[in-house]
Amino acid sequence: MIRVFQCEDTLTGILTGVYDAWDSRLGHEHVRLSTVCDGNLELFCEYVQTEPDTEKAEKVIRTIKRRMGEEAFEMIAYAASYPDDQKADAIYRMIVTGLHLPDGRQITGMLTHPQVRLVFELRRKAWHIAHRYMGFVRFRELENGVLFSEIDGEADVLALIAPHFADRLPLENWAVYDHRRQKAAVHISGKGWMILEDVDKEQLLEPGASAQEAEYEALWKVFHRAIGIQERTNGRLQMSLLPRKFRQFMNEFSCPEGRADRP
Amino acid sequence: MKYRIEQQMDLREKLGILADAAKYDVACTSSGVERKNTGYGVGNCIAPGICHSFSADGRCISLLKILFTNECIFDCKYCINRRSNDVPRASFTPQEVCDLVMGFYRRNYIEGLFLSSGILVSPDATMELLYQTLYKLRREYHFQGYIHVKAIPGADPVLIERTGYLADRMSVNLELPTAEGLRALAPQKQRPKMLAPIRQVYSERQQNRQELALYRHAPKFVPAGQSTQMIIGASGESDWQIMKVAEHMYRKYEMKRVFYSAFLRVNEDRLLPVLPGGPPLLREHRLYQADWLLRFYGFGTEELLSEDRPDFNLLLDPKCDWALRHLEQFPVEVMRADYHTLLRVPGIGYRSAGRIVRARRLGTLDYENLKKMGVVLKRAVYFITCGGKQMYPVKLQEDYILRNLMDGKEKLPAGARDTSGYEQLSLFDDPRFSV
């Protein structure tokens, strides 16, 4: 009989699952973690719901950082943000293996282990998305001075990019809205940032764009067009480096006629 | 007919002209410096750099790349902004540049500023203007993002020094790899004069390193290092000469980057070559590949090229080309070879080499693992064994490997691929038949 711990699809949720699974003392081969609950149940399994618990997650984080190092924790945090059915279990196995190594820090390089490799791959994917959004986010200035932008990423990268923007624009009020998850990272001038769930986008956008906004957008479009070299035009290269899925909220590609990306 | 003698330009027009004039500068990197925000002001830098958009030619847009002015007293043959060209001229004011940078940066359009300039009145006057702009940006607007600025050859060393403390990266473009080329195409520029600021930035960076070792909070001088740029294919140099210059720049002046820009014929001039096939983009690509081999893979120019083989093989990347000429060093055993040997295997990059070295301490590798780690087996398979075995039987023969490597997806000039002389027969597309 295998006990499957179903946890919420967040870092806190998964790490709570890790805590509970370990704490159940059934032996690692008798437990499994899962983030999906689509009603597709397996035979000879017992399903247990785990409620996300910050305290338990904190404990696990502390152990990971102490025994396996910051890098391993970063790897887990990034991997947890990428949608994948196997990730919760892979993270659990990685932690189990890491804590049994004489030097837990080596776990991040242990790519011969299939589950560690999965976590590694997910980390890489999530990092690519997060890193791209650090560049591709476009803020619009609203009448009340708030900088507002939207993203729509496969991975839940809000918490990964928010620290970057908080450091970059410490004196601004800004918000990054996740279109897919109706969440927003919100930063208040001179203070920290936080993540708000179930955000009403229309309410945030209430004040409307500021007076200068249109002018800067136009200037940016002028610049974007002027900087390309005609003789070297290479639409495929541009498309592979900046795929269409990222262009949705980028103003240099939005144009009343549509195809602003084509010269 | 309408004459426009003098008319106030608006910012949009100016930006259009001065960004257009700056587009031939290749460097748009924002990497090499890690800096947190101080808590007041705007901006930070992260070491890998960030690309904020990509232009229609597929190049990254990271910095607001503009000329301060495109008025110039020089008359370099290859340059669109040369004195004798009749192009619309414009100049920014420091205030305008600051407004643009701050406006764009807040909206996350850019990572910082790339400021170059034509020579207005004199090198000193131009450098002074660049300095003023940077000073305003750093001290009045507390801008802490990335700034790349040109050092103007011939400007007062004091001005260059002061500017260097405000900028992250400085660069002087060598433009042409040899002094003869420079004499022919840019008669007003002299090689020693162009090297002077490079040498100055280098020695002051050395000095600054000492200061920083003593005083952690001493101001940093050009923390992201310097870079330069060469035009490829304008004056008949061989790849050997170009790579020699690049290697010299890396070794002697600790350059962070040397950029190569395929020559574009923007001016009609009898001294400039006519390139019917468009700019030599593939040659430029090969030079960049070789440049990486110099910087990250421990290769030297002598190994890749020689005086009797002065140009790269356009059909094959330099690393494969090298490996094919040194088959006696292969195959390499992945489980045992040291890091530097792994680096020389085609298909293994410096990241995957690092991963292999870490992973094999904790377990045995197989081809499946190698593939997942990012090794390009398509190329590597001819040169490695893993656990004493080849992935599948391959012959360690030059022409066999060459034929298989050229089967790849890389875009090559038409007709280059069928070196073997074999091809699929077809009734309708005879290559010799043309309408």
Side-chain angles (χ1 to χ4, degrees):
Chain A
M1 198 73 168
I2 288 179
R3 192 177 292 176
V4 179
F5 290 84
Q6 288 185 320
C7 33
E8 196 191 67
D9 191 2
T10 57
L11 183 63
T12 315
I14 292 172
L15 293 182
T16 311
V18 170
Y19 186 95
D20 286 347
W22 200 305
D23 196 39
S24 68
R25 291 161 203 277
L26 291 168
H28 299 310
E29 61 271 31
H30 297 124
V31 293
R32 203 191 298 159
L33 259 65
S34 164
T35 47
V36 278
C37 37
D38 49 0
N40 206 354
L41 303 179
E42 258 181 79
L43 275 178
F44 310 114
C45 283
E46 179 189 351
Y47 285 83
V48 184
Q49 292 286 343
T50 57
E51 282 306 308
D53 182 338
T54 357
E55 202 176 311
K56 285 177 182 172
E58 274 299 324
K59 280 184 186 169
V60 178
I61 291 175
R62 231 179 301 138
T63 313
I64 294 173
K65 283 188 177 170
R66 200 181 64 239
R67 303 271 302 276
M68 293 155 67
E70 285 283 346
E71 201 194 332
F73 173 65
E74 194 195 286
M75 195 160 142
I76 288 168
Y78 272 86
S81 72
Y82 197 85
D84 184 280
D85 294 349
Q86 307 290 320
K87 67 180 175 190
D89 203 52
I91 289 172
Y92 180 66
R93 304 293 152 195
M94 175 176 159
I95 294 172
V96 171
T97 319
L99 294 183
H100 281 92
L101 283 179
D103 177 9
R105 275 158 223 282
Q106 289 193 324
I107 189 69
T108 50
M110 198 174 179
L111 298 180
T112 46
H113 190 294
Q115 266 102 14
V116 175
R117 205 169 57 215
L118 178 66
V119 177
F120 175 81
E121 274 167 27
L122 295 178
R123 191 269 291 258
R124 196 163 44 164
K125 284 181 185 165
W127 160 251
H128 277 305
I129 295 174
H131 188 76
R132 280 173 149 165
Y133 271 123
M134 282 181 194
F136 298 159
V137 159
R138 294 282 176 269
F139 285 115
R140 270 176 293 159
E141 193 184 43
L142 304 181
E143 199 47 67
N144 54 5
V146 172
L147 296 169
F148 178 83
S149 77
E150 281 177 85
I151 61 171
D152 184 26
E154 289 126 298
D156 186 6
V157 292
L158 273 187
L160 307 177
I161 62 174
H164 168 75
F165 287 113
D167 184 52
R168 170 158 294 196
L169 305 167
L171 301 179
E172 304 280 355
N173 296 311
W174 53 257
V176 183
Y177 177 75
D178 188 331
H179 198 72
R180 199 171 289 196
R181 297 173 185 81
Q182 281 87 47
K183 299 202 297 189
V186 177
H187 178 270
I188 296 159
S189 169
K191 300 202 177 74
W193 58 277
M194 60 195 148
I195 298 230
L196 303 179
E197 307 265 352
D198 301 316
V199 176
D200 183 11
K201 179 181 145 193
E202 299 309 317
Q203 199 185 336
L204 272 174
L205 281 175
E206 185 88 22
S210 76
Q212 284 187 323
E213 189 50 35
E215 178 60 18
Y216 274 107
E217 256 178 46
L219 280 168
W220 173 238
K221 281 182 184 167
V222 167
F223 176 74
H224 191 264
R225 201 146 315 149
I227 208 71
I229 297 178
Q230 191 91 51
E231 291 88 336
R232 299 180 61 122
T233 304
N234 189 346
R236 282 184 59 189
L237 183 60
Q238 188 192 23
M239 191 58 81
S240 68
L241 293 166
L242 176 43
R244 245 181 232 294
K245 60 183 171 188
F246 290 104
R247 298 188 182 186
Q248 196 179 351
F249 303 110
M250 294 174 76
N251 49 22
E252 63 263 39
F253 295 106
S254 71
C255 187
E257 301 95 74
R259 312 296 286 273
D261 49 328
R262 294 279 164 81
Chain B
M1 236 169 133
K2 269 193 269 176
Y3 289 99
R4 282 209 321 198
I5 295 163
E6 191 143 321
Q7 198 180 52
Q8 273 294 319
M9 263 189 231
D10 70 345
L11 196 55
R12 245 186 251 191
E13 232 172 310
K14 272 191 192 177
L15 181 64
I17 293 171
L18 292 168
D20 191 73
K23 70 184 175 189
Y24 300 105
D25 248 303
V26 182
C28 199
T29 52
S30 52
S31 54
V33 59
E34 181 87 38
R35 180 170 53 226
K36 292 259 171 236
N37 193 292
T38 50
Y40 56 92
V42 170
N44 61 2
C45 293
I46 73 167
I50 297 177
C51 296
H52 284 256
S53 187
F54 289 87
S55 59
D57 50 21
R59 297 188 306 163
C60 141
I61 300 175
S62 176
L63 305 173
L64 173 65
K65 184 156 52 180
I66 46 173
L67 295 191
F68 189 83
T69 171
N70 64 347
E71 290 174 41
C72 192
I73 56 172
F74 286 162
D75 199 27
C76 308
K77 306 279 185 248
Y78 51 80
C79 178
I80 186 87
N81 300 316
R82 62 180 181 178
R83 194 178 49 191
S84 53
N85 271 14
D86 184 21
V87 292
R89 306 278 175 175
S91 301
F92 281 124
T93 60
Q95 183 60 50
E96 283 168 336
V97 176
C98 291
D99 288 343
L100 274 175
V101 171
M102 298 312 286
F104 280 7
Y105 196 87
R106 278 184 70 216
R107 290 169 176 78
N108 203 38
Y109 296 167
I110 54 166
E111 193 60 19
L113 172 67
F114 176 109
L115 192 58
S116 178
S117 181
I119 312 297
L120 189 71
V121 189
S122 74
D124 274 343
T126 315
M127 199 70 219
E128 174 77 42
L129 280 168
L130 298 187
Y131 171 71
Q132 278 176 14
T133 312
L134 261 58
Y135 187 88
K136 206 174 175 70
L137 209 49
R138 286 283 197 224
R139 296 288 141 79
E140 282 177 32
Y141 289 86
H142 301 291
F143 176 71
Q144 294 161 38
Y146 197 89
I147 296 182
H148 179 152
V149 68
K150 289 277 168 208
I152 308 286
D156 191 347
V158 178
L159 275 173
I160 292 181
E161 184 188 341
R162 283 198 195 157
T163 314
Y165 278 108
L166 300 173
D168 288 298
R169 174 167 286 185
M170 278 185 111
S171 61
V172 178
N173 284 356
L174 288 178
E175 308 295 11
L176 295 154
T178 56
E180 296 80 67
L182 205 61
R183 221 168 293 135
L185 296 183
Q188 283 126 322
K189 290 186 177 169
Q190 286 131 24
R191 189 66 157 209
K193 241 186 180 175
M194 296 170 82
L195 284 176
I198 294 180
R199 209 168 288 136
Q200 186 199 345
V201 172
Y202 166 70
S203 60
E204 286 196 28
R205 260 168 64 81
Q206 297 289 81
Q207 225 174 314
N208 185 238
R209 204 169 298 161
Q210 302 287 331
E211 282 163 25
L212 283 168
L214 272 177
Y215 310 104
R216 202 154 51 92
H217 297 294
K220 291 192 178 117
F221 183 79
V222 194
Q226 49 177 342
S227 66
T228 189
Q229 175 180 336
M230 288 186 274
I231 301 169
I232 304 307
S235 51
E237 295 87 5
S238 64
D239 290 349
W240 156 261
Q241 283 171 312
I242 295 166
M243 290 313 293
K244 270 294 187 192
V245 175
E247 194 175 26
H248 181 71
M249 286 292 143
Y250 286 130
R251 303 266 147 89
K252 179 101 187 281
Y253 298 116
E254 292 186 0
M255 283 271 168
K256 279 284 151 68
R257 284 292 296 272
V258 175
F259 293 97
Y260 310 93
S261 107
F263 170 69
L264 284 170
R265 197 182 158 92
V266 289
N267 297 329
E268 290 303 319
D269 198 300
R270 67 192 168 77
L271 284 172
L272 295 174
V274 181
L275 301 165
L281 294 178
L282 189 57
R283 186 175 175 206
E284 180 196 277
H285 179 56
R286 293 287 176 242
L287 283 166
Y288 273 117
Q289 286 178 318
D291 187 75
W292 251 256
L293 293 182
L294 288 190
R295 287 188 297 141
F296 298 114
Y297 293 83
F299 279 89
T301 308
E302 272 79 17
E303 289 177 273
L304 302 170
L305 296 169
S306 62
E307 235 155 329
D308 12 300
R309 259 187 87 264
D311 289 308
F312 285 114
N313 183 353
L314 283 186
L315 309 179
L316 214 54
D317 71 83
K319 200 179 180 187
C320 282
D321 198 41
W322 174 86
L324 282 180
R325 282 183 285 117
H326 293 86
L327 284 179
E328 72 282 355
Q329 303 191 15
F330 297 102
V332 162
E333 169 54 49
V334 176
M335 285 301 288
R336 269 196 300 275
D338 64 39
Y339 177 72
H340 298 282
T341 316
L342 284 176
L343 277 184
R344 296 190 161 229
V345 179
I348 299 185
Y350 71 97
R351 276 184 200 277
S352 41
R355 281 177 202 149
I356 289 173
V357 171
R358 282 185 78 188
R360 68 186 178 187
R361 286 190 197 133
L362 297 157
T364 327
L365 300 174
D366 56 26
Y367 283 99
E368 178 61 31
N369 286 330
L370 289 182
K371 192 175 173 149
K372 292 273 172 168
M373 278 179 203
V375 174
V376 185
L377 284 178
K378 196 172 65 187
R379 284 199 285 282
V381 71
Y382 307 102
F383 304 101
I384 56 171
T385 59
C386 187
K389 280 181 290 197
Q390 288 186 315
M391 188 174 174
Y392 47 82
V394 290
K395 285 180 272 185
L396 203 61
Q397 281 172 0
E398 193 176 337
D399 51 347
Y400 169 79
I401 298 176
L402 180 65
R403 199 163 351 114
N404 284 298
L405 282 177
M406 300 257 297
D407 259 357
K409 267 193 278 179
E410 200 179 30
K411 202 175 151 200
L412 292 175
R417 226 179 274 280
D418 27 292
T419 48
S420 59
Y422 306 118
E423 61 181 303
Q424 176 68 47
L425 282 178
S426 156
L427 275 177
F428 302 107
D429 37 59
D430 183 349
R432 282 153 301 180
F433 178 78
S434 60
V435 183

